[in-house]
Amino acid sequence: MAKMRRVLAVTMAAAMAVSMMTGCGEKKTDSTEAQSTETEAEVSTEEQTEETTTEAAGDVGENVADGDVLIDLTFDDNDTDGCMTYFNGGQAELGVENGELCMDITSTGKLDYANQMYYDGFALNQDCVYELSFDVRSTIDRALQYRIQINGGDYHAYVQDDITLGTETQHISKQFTMVEASDPAPRLCMNLGHFDGTGDDSVPHKVYFDNVVLKVVDASKAQKVEGIPEPKTVNINQLGYKNDAKKLATITDESVTGYEVINVSDGKTVASGNIVSDDWHYDSAADERYAIVDFSDVKDDGTYKVKVSTGDESYEFPVGDKVYDDVYKASVIMLYDQRCGSELDESVAGDFAHAACHTGKAIVYGSDEAKDVTGGWHDAGDYGRYVVPGAKTVQDLILAYESSDKVAKDDSIGIPESGNGVPDVLDEARYELDWMLKMQDSVSGGVYHKVTGEVFPETVLAVDETAQMILSPISNTATGDFAAVMAKASVVYRQYDAEFADTCLAAAERAWKYLGGHEGDPGFVNAGDIVTGTYSDGSDRDEYLWAATELYIATKDEKYNDFVKSAIKQTVKYGLGWADVGYYGIYDYCVNIKDCDDEKAILKEGVDDLVKNYGKCGFGSTTGGEYVWGSNMAVADNGMLLIMASRILGDDTYLEYAGDQLNYLLGRNPVSYCYVTGFGSQTPENPHHRPSEVLGKAMPGMLVGGANGNLEDPYAKAVLADYSGERCYVDNAQSFSCNEVTIYWNSPLIYLLAELR
Ligand code: 9MR
Ligand code: ZN
């Protein structure tokens, strides 16, 4: 039968293992190795013609037809056919023996999913009937749980059964109807951990699988698998513009020949223009032709929309003086909501209030030493606390305080410390600094890289993560970042708390001493069975440079200046990220030290590159066509850098580009999302953020990671394979590589909003 269909190459991230969500638990590792296996899964298109649908009524549903084979694994040629493993306390090796898949199990752990074999890369359509079948045997009598489950949240099963295995091969076959909403990215799991009541499964043994097949039995009632929403053809900053700001809209429908800006309250056109063929350009990262219209002359307070000649309209947006006040406040309160180790006040955190979490002592990895490292912010959608990204967040807050008068005076954001005479952003940053001080080893001066459980927590509230906290080993990058922010804090907090400033400076100097004895140490990698985030970084030169700069500013000791002057002659990674931090040092050097021509030149080179990138993007972003995990941080960081450079270089033109970084984040992008939760006309509602997932509502004020063309989670692979980088964003909690949130994505947003509001 005639049926249009496209083949979706489903990339199984095996060795790459960027992040693996699994049955009841999440496991992420950070190896950068390339993807190992590509399998093909057929996913049918939504583009089926009317004709074929009618003709085939009865055996064709939306996207699927009777007899479609979605999984067909035979393990010939010694190939595991894209099957993967997840462990949560168990131990096994996956391989192929004589054309059968073999789980060679040495420990079954404590949980039924302690050992898991899984397979991704297929979809389930609601109301479609399927048959799952496979052959299985084991070298001992033991239980197996097979299931197809949702691959995130509570990991509940769409179909599941527990069976008893023995040495005889059994052919298992199960029909089921997908009764829940269509799922583009479920997971087939074989749970081979420990099961009570089925004999002794603790002895080493092997379980063999063959002929694993998932087939469509009856597609007549099958409903569609929804893709991502169609973006608007006219995109603007959904939160609006300040009266005098530059205002651009991007149009992506090439049949448009003109536009008008309409005042929504009276329907009157306040600006209009034509779009001619020369106005159209190509954005390769979005894979779209676009035209830009400038309506900066619309300056009066009001609510507007841009309407184009085809009748399409942008979302409505305000123009006024206070358009960013609420989002600014919410983006700071998000950090309060991420606080760990103390009770969150309901009057601030609302539904996200909770009792003190993670209050137990942490064990220093590889020892019996228990240490109090309570406090600090949860990093992201997980509850890990990591020094490296924490330092970036603190620095961004302090820079916002230093560069914006409004922020420096604002003591009324509404956190518990508001009104205490210390600006709120400094209070908030101090919460992290106090924790960071506890992360320093009192003997060596080195700083522990992170404190997390061994694995990522399940989708639970912070108070319900009860796993033993472990302090991962000291790293140079954590110690360098620590030295930098502590030295800076010693300067900034002195007027508010001289004793704290002294403590910070002494800690920074001890950290610097550690660094002196550890030049050339290898970068951080996860120790033992720990699989939480690594914040791995190929170079620590930038961290050393930044630390030396802040210590020079704090102490005026020339030994630090000598270090800076020799470091900038070498290869340093300049950036404002968690990995590349060189510009933090360069900028503060320029602000504080008179003789800074070399540093100014470094800054100028950086922002001039951003300006070149700006010209390549139809939506104002300066990432140069790169859309990676956390691309929204890159956009926000670039906005910061442009503002910082405009100060140092005395050139206001950089500020316009900075404004467009904010505009991109708040809606002028090719997916039409205002990327901050709770704000804008189309806003992320399903962030990968455990508190939001458990409560079923997104915590407000969080900047999500955004477009990521590398498709680094199974959900993104399933729904974004046909899109180019700048459009690879999906608002789904399973997509941790597009839709997670972090403290250090919020902090450059806070800086931008502080400056531009
Ligand atoms: O933001 C990090 C991103 O740049 C990396 O590509 C990614 C994979 O290593 O990790 C991101 O950081 C995550 C961290 O490892 C654990 N907490 C959640 C962070 C955001 O996804
Ligand atoms: Zn906590």
Side-chain angles (χ1 to χ4, degrees):
M1 131 202 0
K3 186 156 87 76
M4 286 166 57
R5 182 179 288 183
R6 71 184 162 223
V7 173
L8 168 69
V10 176
T11 317
M12 306 307 298
M16 174 174 78
V18 231
S19 258
M20 289 171 223
M21 307 282 291
T22 63
C24 312
E26 173 184 347
K27 180 161 181 160
K28 298 186 187 182
T29 61
D30 275 50
S31 149
T32 49
E33 278 173 60
Q35 309 154 346
S36 68
T37 339
E38 284 223 338
T39 76
E40 284 195 341
E42 284 194 319
V43 172
S44 43
T45 165
E46 296 152 22
E47 300 143 18
Q48 259 175 39
T49 58
E50 283 281 314
E51 198 193 351
T52 51
T53 314
T54 340
E55 177 202 326
D59 58 6
V60 177
E62 294 275 6
N63 313 10
V64 274
D66 293 2
D68 276 3
V69 177
L70 306 179
I71 300 178
D72 186 10
L73 313 178
T74 55
F75 312 111
D76 296 333
D77 309 322
N78 253 357
D79 192 348
T80 50
D81 286 351
C83 291
M84 310 275 289
T85 48
Y86 167 77
F87 302 108
N88 195 335
Q91 234 173 13
E93 291 257 355
L94 187 69
V96 176
E97 283 181 19
N98 304 319
E100 287 177 303
L101 188 76
C102 174
M103 271 289 262
D104 187 347
I105 297 166
T106 37
S107 162
T108 41
K110 294 198 183 89
L111 306 165
D112 57 12
Y113 62 94
N115 292 319
Q116 188 180 74
M117 185 284 272
Y118 69 84
Y119 181 85
D120 297 339
F122 60 99
L124 290 182
N125 296 56
Q126 184 170 358
D127 297 331
C128 187
V129 183
Y130 298 91
E131 183 186 87
L132 173 68
S133 61
F134 56 93
D135 297 332
V136 61
R137 68 192 166 88
S138 164
T139 55
I140 61 163
D141 290 351
R142 62 152 299 154
L144 160 75
Q145 178 180 80
Y146 66 88
R147 49 176 12 221
I148 299 180
Q149 67 184 28
I150 190 168
N151 193 18
D154 65 1
Y155 297 92
H156 69 267
Y158 299 128
V159 59
Q160 159 178 327
D161 207 356
D162 287 10
I163 54 173
T164 305
L165 307 181
T167 49
E168 289 291 309
T169 298
Q170 297 178 51
H171 180 72
I172 306 295
S173 170
K174 179 147 185 124
Q175 279 205 5
F176 67 97
T177 304
M178 175 64 173
V179 290
E180 296 186 42
S182 299
D183 185 343
R187 172 166 286 182
L188 167 66
C189 297
M190 299 291 178
N191 282 337
L192 288 165
H194 170 70
F195 290 79
D196 286 330
T198 39
D200 180 14
D201 58 21
S202 70
V203 293
H205 61 281
K206 293 181 176 182
V207 177
Y208 294 90
F209 295 94
D210 207 355
N211 305 314
V212 181
V213 175
L214 180 66
K215 218 162 56 183
V216 175
V217 174
D218 180 1
S220 57
K221 298 198 181 73
Q223 298 186 32
K224 209 167 173 168
V225 176
E226 293 293 343
I228 54 174
E230 266 301 307
K232 289 252 178 200
T233 57
V234 188
N235 285 300
I236 40 75
N237 178 337
Q238 294 168 25
L239 299 193
Y241 301 85
K242 300 267 290 185
N243 305 77
D244 290 324
K246 188 171 89 173
K247 303 174 189 74
L248 304 177
T250 301
I251 298 164
T252 45
D253 176 352
E254 240 187 306
S255 59
V256 169
T257 54
Y259 73 95
E260 3 172 22
V261 181
I262 295 169
N263 186 329
V264 173
S265 66
D266 57 13
K268 290 213 170 96
T269 299
V270 295
S272 62
N274 294 326
I275 297 167
V276 297
S277 57
D278 279 357
D279 293 330
W280 292 97
H281 306 280
Y282 179 64
D283 179 322
S284 58
D287 190 21
E288 261 172 340
R289 307 262 306 156
Y290 67 89
I292 294 174
V293 299
D294 187 335
F295 56 99
S296 306
D297 289 344
V298 177
K299 292 177 193 265
D300 292 344
D301 282 10
T303 303
Y304 302 89
K305 63 187 177 187
V306 179
K307 185 172 182 181
V308 292
S309 54
T310 54
D312 282 359
E313 295 178 354
S314 71
Y315 287 118
E316 294 178 3
F317 58 91
V319 169
D321 191 40
K322 300 199 177 316
V323 290
Y324 307 133
D325 283 11
D326 289 347
V327 68
Y328 170 72
K329 193 174 150 182
S331 64
V332 177
I333 291 197
M334 177 268 190
L335 294 176
Y336 172 80
D337 290 344
Q338 293 288 105
R339 286 189 193 184
C340 181
S342 61
E343 191 184 330
L344 293 196
D345 193 320
E346 203 188 328
S347 67
V348 187
D351 290 346
F352 295 92
H354 61 72
C357 53
H358 301 103
T359 49
K361 285 189 172 176
I363 300 290
V364 177
Y365 178 80
S367 81
D368 298 334
E369 189 190 338
K371 201 170 152 59
D372 169 23
V373 287
T374 50
W377 299 304
H378 299 137
D379 182 51
D382 63 312
Y383 301 121
R385 285 164 292 146
Y386 306 75
V387 170
V388 164
K392 170 187 164 45
T393 313
V394 166
Q395 178 77 359
D396 290 345
L397 293 185
I398 297 181
L399 290 175
Y401 156 81
E402 288 183 325
S403 55
S404 154
D405 234 23
K406 271 193 193 169
V407 175
K409 297 202 179 89
D410 192 348
D411 191 20
S412 61
I413 285 186
I415 57 175
E417 294 83 356
S418 291
N420 68 354
V422 179
D424 284 336
V425 291
L426 291 190
D427 283 323
E428 199 51 57
R430 169 115 185 224
Y431 194 79
E432 184 79 349
L433 286 163
D434 283 337
W435 165 73
M436 286 173 78
L437 287 167
K438 298 182 183 175
M439 291 293 282
Q440 183 171 39
D441 173 32
S442 54
V443 179
S444 66
V447 178
Y448 295 104
H449 195 72
K450 61 174 173 179
V451 56
T452 68
E454 194 169 78
V455 296
F456 283 102
E458 292 176 18
T459 311
V460 295
L461 292 171
V463 286
D464 295 328
E465 191 193 20
T466 50
Q468 173 64 51
M469 290 293 113
I470 306 164
L471 273 162
S472 280
I474 290 168
S475 73
N476 277 0
T477 49
T479 308
D481 287 343
F482 173 97
V485 290
M486 286 299 165
K488 187 163 180 76
S490 76
V491 177
V492 172
Y493 288 82
R494 188 158 299 279
Q495 60 167 307
Y496 302 106
D497 184 343
E499 203 185 320
F500 176 65
D502 288 342
T503 304
C504 292
L505 186 57
E509 287 180 306
R510 279 204 311 280
W512 181 260
K513 210 164 154 215
Y514 174 93
L515 290 172
H518 289 81
E519 292 252 7
D521 275 9
F524 180 82
V525 289
N526 264 332
D529 291 333
I530 299 174
V531 299
T532 49
T534 55
Y535 291 105
S536 54
D537 183 348
S539 169
D540 60 16
R541 297 296 78 196
D542 46 328
E543 284 79 5
Y544 274 72
L545 169 73
W546 180 25
T549 307
E550 303 296 355
L551 276 157
Y552 180 46
I553 294 164
T555 63
K556 296 289 161 345
D557 183 334
E558 282 301 323
K559 78 175 180 213
Y560 297 117
N561 196 27
D562 293 345
F563 187 96
V564 172
K565 289 298 174 191
S566 95
I568 60 170
K569 294 204 176 67
Q570 286 141 33
T571 311
V572 176
K573 300 257 193 175
Y574 291 110
L576 296 177
W578 57 260
D580 302 343
V581 295
Y583 285 135
Y584 285 120
I586 294 296
Y587 172 75
D588 271 342
Y589 198 98
C590 293
V591 171
N592 293 284
I593 312 294
K594 256 206 193 121
D595 171 17
C596 63
D597 287 350
D598 292 344
E599 289 77 9
K600 270 188 184 167
I602 291 169
L603 201 58
K604 179 153 173 47
E605 202 183 320
V607 281
D608 287 346
D609 280 348
L610 297 186
V611 173
K612 277 185 217 144
N613 289 345
Y614 180 86
K616 292 181 201 152
C617 179
F619 303 86
S621 120
T622 47
T623 63
E626 297 264 307
Y627 290 88
V628 298
W629 193 323
S631 64
N632 282 342
M633 177 190 81
V635 174
D637 283 351
N638 291 351
M640 273 186 76
L641 192 68
L642 287 156
I643 292 170
M644 288 153 73
S646 82
R647 291 270 149 72
I648 300 297
L649 305 172
D651 183 346
D652 277 358
T653 54
Y654 294 120
L655 288 179
E656 279 189 17
Y657 305 116
D660 272 334
Q661 305 319 292
L662 184 65
N663 294 330
Y664 171 95
L665 297 173
L666 302 183
R668 186 184 164 225
N669 55 54
V671 295
S672 312
Y673 272 89
C674 172
Y675 279 126
V676 182
T677 54
F679 288 86
S681 304
Q682 179 162 240
T683 181
E685 287 173 348
N686 306 293
H688 180 81
H689 179 248
R690 284 169 178 73
S692 301
E693 289 176 66
V694 176
L695 267 57
K697 62 190 264 190
M699 180 184 280
M702 308 190 292
L703 178 66
V704 297
N708 176 6
N710 295 330
L711 308 186
E712 294 178 86
D713 62 69
Y715 199 89
K717 285 184 213 305
V719 300
L720 299 173
D722 289 345
Y723 295 92
S724 62
E726 203 176 347
R727 291 196 56 187
C728 285
Y729 170 71
V730 58
D731 176 22
N732 187 286
Q734 292 179 45
S735 184
F736 45 82
S737 73
C738 292
N739 213 31
E740 191 161 356
V741 301
T742 73
I743 53 172
Y744 55 95
W745 299 340
N746 256 55
S747 59
L749 173 71
I750 289 169
Y751 180 99
L752 277 187
L753 289 167
E755 284 289 336
L756 300 172
R757 91 191 158 107

